[in-house]
């Protein structure tokens, strides 16, 4: 039987989502706890990998088991540390945590007061031009080759940004991204670029050039993983 599980976790306590040897990671930790609870070896597949320091309000995984899972959520939540199970439900045989995703929403938090815990926010001393940042963010909307905003080598760099919202509340600046095809460091690089625009260090024309001419390699700062949250996954 296949099951879908929705989890949340504190990324500052893990070396990312992906299974790795000799370090605490979400995938390996959760597999071990589910396997111990069910009394059989269980492997999980995630909707995507979050890097070290990146948090999740809503990560989705799936796993298969022949065992009954009644009470599993309660059992796991008594044992898990820095990670909680929000929901477990039966999934169809064709469901896949990653391949069935329609779009994802990421949230980035910037502490403008420079007083909050730096494990969960990017601290910022600069006064940012939010109007200019919003104008620059519009250039990311739609389907583009995001090669200049992705880390590492890929065959395909094309992604689609459906919506970007930038808003401020209680001395926290929020940047919310909804899209299809987020790649390694992509959100952090988009945030980094928008911050440079907000500081007045980069003109919006540079952003346009980086999008329209991916063959001309250009890099802007990558923002800290600590302020990034996987907010929601839509199927």
């Amino acid at each position: 039987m296949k099951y879908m599980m929705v989890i949340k976790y504190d990324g500052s306590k893990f070396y990312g989502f992906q299974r790795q040897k000799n370090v605490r990671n979400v995938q390996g930790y959760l597999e071990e706890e589910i396997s111990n609870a069910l009394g059989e070896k269980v492997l999980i597949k995630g909707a995507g990998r979050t890097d070290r320091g990146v948090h999740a309000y809503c990560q989705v995984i799936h796993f298969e088991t022949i065992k009954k899972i009644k009470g599993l959520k309660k059992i796991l939540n008594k044992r898990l540390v820095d990670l909680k199970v929000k929901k477990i439900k039966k999934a169809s045989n064709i469901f896949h945590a990653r391949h069935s995703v329609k779009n994802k929403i990421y949230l980035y938090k910037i502490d403008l007061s420079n007083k909050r815990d730096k494990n969960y926010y990017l601290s910022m001393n600069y006064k940012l031009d939010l109007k200019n940042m919003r104008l620059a963010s519009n250039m990311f909307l739609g389907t583009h080759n995001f090669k200049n905003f992705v880390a590492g080598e890929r065959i395909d760099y094309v992604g689609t940004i459906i919506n970007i919202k930038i808003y401020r509340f209680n001395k926290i600046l929020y940047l919310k991204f909804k899209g299809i095809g987020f790649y390694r460091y992509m959100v952090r690089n988009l945030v980094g670029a928008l911050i440079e625009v907000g500081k007045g260090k980069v003109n919006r024309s540079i952003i346009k050039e980086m999008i329209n001419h991916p063959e001309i390699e250009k890099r802007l700062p990558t923002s800290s993983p600590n302020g990034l949250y996987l907010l929601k996954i839509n199927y």
Side-chain angles (χ1 to χ4, degrees):
M1 196 74 69
K2 183 180 286 189
Y3 295 92
M4 180 186 84
M5 178 183 288
V6 181
I7 62 174
K8 63 178 181 179
Y9 50 84
D10 181 342
S12 68
K13 303 298 192 297
F14 296 94
Y15 281 73
F17 177 85
Q18 187 179 7
R19 190 188 304 112
Q20 304 173 66
K21 292 183 178 180
N22 304 319
V23 293
R24 190 171 188 245
N25 57 86
V26 173
Q27 187 176 25
Y29 176 53
L30 189 56
E31 283 178 341
E32 181 179 5
E33 292 298 335
I34 296 175
S35 296
N36 289 338
L38 294 178
E40 70 170 2
K41 181 68 173 179
V42 172
L43 298 178
I44 69 173
K45 299 289 185 181
R49 302 169 181 173
T50 51
D51 298 316
R52 180 182 179 184
V54 177
H55 314 284
Y57 285 130
C58 177
Q59 172 70 284
V60 177
I61 64 103
H62 79 257
F63 64 95
E64 296 184 47
T65 180
I66 60 172
K67 299 294 184 70
K68 294 181 179 179
I69 66 159
K70 184 177 181 180
L72 180 61
K73 177 183 173 182
K74 185 175 182 180
I75 292 170
L76 290 175
N77 282 336
K78 284 183 177 180
R79 299 167 61 167
L80 293 168
V81 179
D82 306 315
L83 187 156
K84 291 297 178 184
V85 178
K86 298 175 70 174
K87 182 196 300 183
I88 306 176
K89 71 175 185 178
K90 184 180 176 182
S92 68
N93 289 332
I94 62 172
F95 174 80
H96 193 284
R98 180 164 65 90
H99 300 313
S100 300
V101 172
K102 289 184 178 178
N103 56 70
K104 296 180 182 178
I105 301 175
Y106 283 92
L107 183 67
Y108 198 91
K109 300 181 182 181
I110 300 175
D111 174 24
L112 301 175
S113 70
N114 200 22
K115 294 179 180 179
R116 293 177 172 84
D117 191 332
K118 291 178 174 57
N119 283 319
Y120 307 102
Y121 302 87
L122 172 66
S123 293
M124 183 65 60
N125 291 318
Y126 285 87
K127 183 177 181 180
L128 300 173
D129 184 340
L130 300 191
K131 181 180 179 180
N132 212 18
M133 291 175 69
R134 291 186 181 106
L135 289 172
S137 73
N138 289 335
M139 298 179 181
F140 294 130
L141 300 180
T143 301
H144 304 284
N145 184 321
F146 286 98
K147 184 177 181 180
N148 282 319
F149 300 92
V150 175
E153 296 294 324
R154 295 182 54 84
I155 296 174
D156 183 15
Y157 295 90
V158 175
T160 301
I161 305 294
I162 299 169
N163 187 265
I164 300 176
K165 293 183 179 179
I166 300 174
Y167 55 98
R168 177 178 172 172
F169 179 74
N170 196 24
K171 293 188 177 181
I172 300 175
L173 182 63
Y174 298 93
L175 295 89
K176 186 185 290 187
F177 300 81
K178 180 179 182 179
I180 306 166
F182 288 109
Y183 307 122
R184 189 182 183 201
Y185 294 4
M186 182 170 159
V187 177
R188 293 168 56 195
N189 284 328
L190 296 179
V191 172
L194 292 174
I195 289 173
E196 292 300 288
V197 171
K199 289 178 178 179
K201 293 186 175 183
V202 169
N203 190 281
R204 296 198 306 273
S205 63
I206 300 297
I207 305 298
K208 186 176 182 179
E209 181 182 346
M210 292 173 68
I211 295 172
N212 292 341
H213 299 283
E215 73 281 1
I216 302 174
E217 186 173 339
K218 183 173 179 60
R219 295 291 174 178
L220 295 175
T222 302
S223 61
S224 164
N226 300 1
L228 183 57
Y229 296 73
L230 176 54
L231 185 64
K232 188 177 181 182
I233 302 174
N234 294 310
Y235 288 93

